[in-house]
Amino acid sequence: MSFKEKLNLEKLPQHIAVIMDGNGRWAKEKGKLRVFGHKNGVLAVRDTVEGAAELGVKNLTLYAFSTENWNRPKLEVTALMELLVSTINKETKTLMDNDVRLNAIGDLKSLPSRCYKELQEAIQKTAGNKRLTLTLALSYSARWEITDATKRIATDVAKGIVKEQDITEQLFSSYLSTHNLPDPELMIRTSGEHRISNYLLWQLAYAELYFMPKLWPDFRREDLYEAIYNYQQRERRFGLTSEQIS
């Protein structure tokens, strides 16, 4: 029996976050440049998105490019930005065919102007799709996001828009870039690394974490189904006891 057949479709995580790790190592194992791994990682993205949409998962967020990634060799960063543009152009039709809405979070204005333009056009074109929201975390870091939210709250307090006593977890969440998304219930990281790497630190507070050794270009929808199956076997207590949950 496949993992898909084992799944309880009534208990799917409604938001899955993914750290797509291992593109460079995958390419190195094959004696290729790192960008070769990134290009093949696009195939994994397509299969994962289609698999999530087919199941009925409502939100999928992919860590595509961190603020720290800007420190990589210039040649690799340039190639990644070019790949981003070409992928958005090629995959917009796939998003439309699968009723997937594209979203993006991060310091998007730091992207090259062409990348930003193509991204915004794809976001607008897919805005009416409802089956799945695919969010790309681009030029993103959780510490940047939390710092940015704090600055904007401080500005609104200074303007008298927000009172100090009104600042709650819910209000803080409303200033984050994910304010229109539920918190992830499942976070998947490939490549065998066991870190969160500055990803959705606030939002992952109670997410189930799933780490797998497979490198991202080899990840396919069956791996997604296995991660969801693993998630469904866990008891989520949110600080309570097992007896209280029962």
Side-chain angles (χ1 to χ4, degrees):
M1 181 182 292
S2 69
F3 282 106
K4 183 180 180 182
E5 294 173 306
K6 295 178 181 180
L7 294 179
N8 181 346
L9 299 183
E10 300 299 319
K11 294 184 178 180
L12 291 174
Q14 290 307 296
H15 187 178
I16 299 175
V18 182
I19 299 177
M20 307 180 293
D21 196 17
N23 289 339
R25 276 169 283 170
W26 186 88
K28 187 176 181 180
E29 286 178 0
K30 292 171 170 46
K32 304 284 187 179
L33 295 175
R34 291 175 61 86
V35 70
F36 180 74
H38 296 307
K39 288 179 178 177
N40 281 272
V42 173
L43 302 177
V45 170
R46 181 188 303 141
D47 203 53
T48 301
V49 171
E50 291 180 347
E54 181 183 306
L55 274 185
V57 174
K58 294 300 182 185
N59 298 280
L60 178 67
T61 298
L62 306 179
Y63 204 3
F65 192 86
S66 73
T67 53
E68 291 82 6
N69 288 154
W70 290 113
N71 297 318
R72 289 187 175 187
K74 185 177 179 181
L75 183 64
E76 181 179 353
V77 172
T78 301
L80 275 170
M81 291 298 107
E82 289 297 321
L83 179 61
L84 176 61
V85 170
S86 63
T87 300
I88 290 172
N89 285 330
K90 290 178 183 176
E91 298 299 323
T92 299
K93 183 181 184 301
T94 301
L95 298 178
M96 296 301 295
D97 290 344
N98 287 278
D99 197 22
V100 175
R101 180 174 76 92
L102 183 63
N103 182 39
I105 59 173
D107 186 11
L108 303 181
K109 292 296 180 67
S110 67
L111 297 172
S113 57
R114 186 178 168 213
C115 290
Y116 182 78
K117 178 176 176 290
E118 297 286 348
L119 178 64
Q120 293 302 319
E121 288 178 357
I123 288 173
Q124 291 172 16
K125 187 171 183 178
T126 62
N129 295 343
K130 301 183 183 304
R131 191 178 189 184
L132 168 73
T133 295
L134 170 64
T135 300
L136 300 181
L138 292 164
S139 192
Y140 172 90
S141 86
R143 289 184 174 181
W144 165 85
E145 179 185 35
I146 291 170
T147 301
D148 179 69
T150 303
K151 287 178 180 178
R152 289 189 290 112
I153 291 173
T155 298
D156 285 350
V157 169
K159 291 179 178 178
I161 297 172
V162 173
K163 296 179 181 178
E164 183 180 346
Q165 59 267 29
D166 295 334
I167 300 176
T168 62
E169 290 184 13
Q170 290 72 27
L171 183 131
F172 191 87
S173 293
S174 73
Y175 279 79
L176 296 174
S177 54
T178 54
H179 62 88
N180 57 346
L181 300 171
D183 286 345
E185 296 157 286
L186 170 64
M187 192 284 287
I188 302 168
R189 180 172 188 152
T190 57
S191 88
E193 301 290 352
H194 293 75
R195 296 188 300 275
I196 297 178
S197 295
N198 205 1
Y199 184 45
L200 300 173
L201 296 179
W202 177 277
Q203 299 89 337
L204 290 177
Y206 278 102
E208 296 295 325
L209 308 182
Y210 181 83
F211 301 100
M212 65 181 307
K214 185 171 287 190
L215 301 176
W216 178 251
D218 292 326
F219 191 91
R220 290 297 181 269
R221 67 182 73 190
E222 186 64 19
D223 299 301
L224 174 68
Y225 302 152
E226 181 177 356
I228 295 174
Y229 177 75
N230 182 283
Y231 161 86
Q232 291 185 340
Q233 307 314 300
R234 302 184 188 186
E235 181 182 67
R236 307 189 72 214
R237 296 190 296 275
F238 300 97
L240 301 178
T241 66
S242 296
E243 291 74 19
Q244 286 176 299
I245 294 297
S246 332

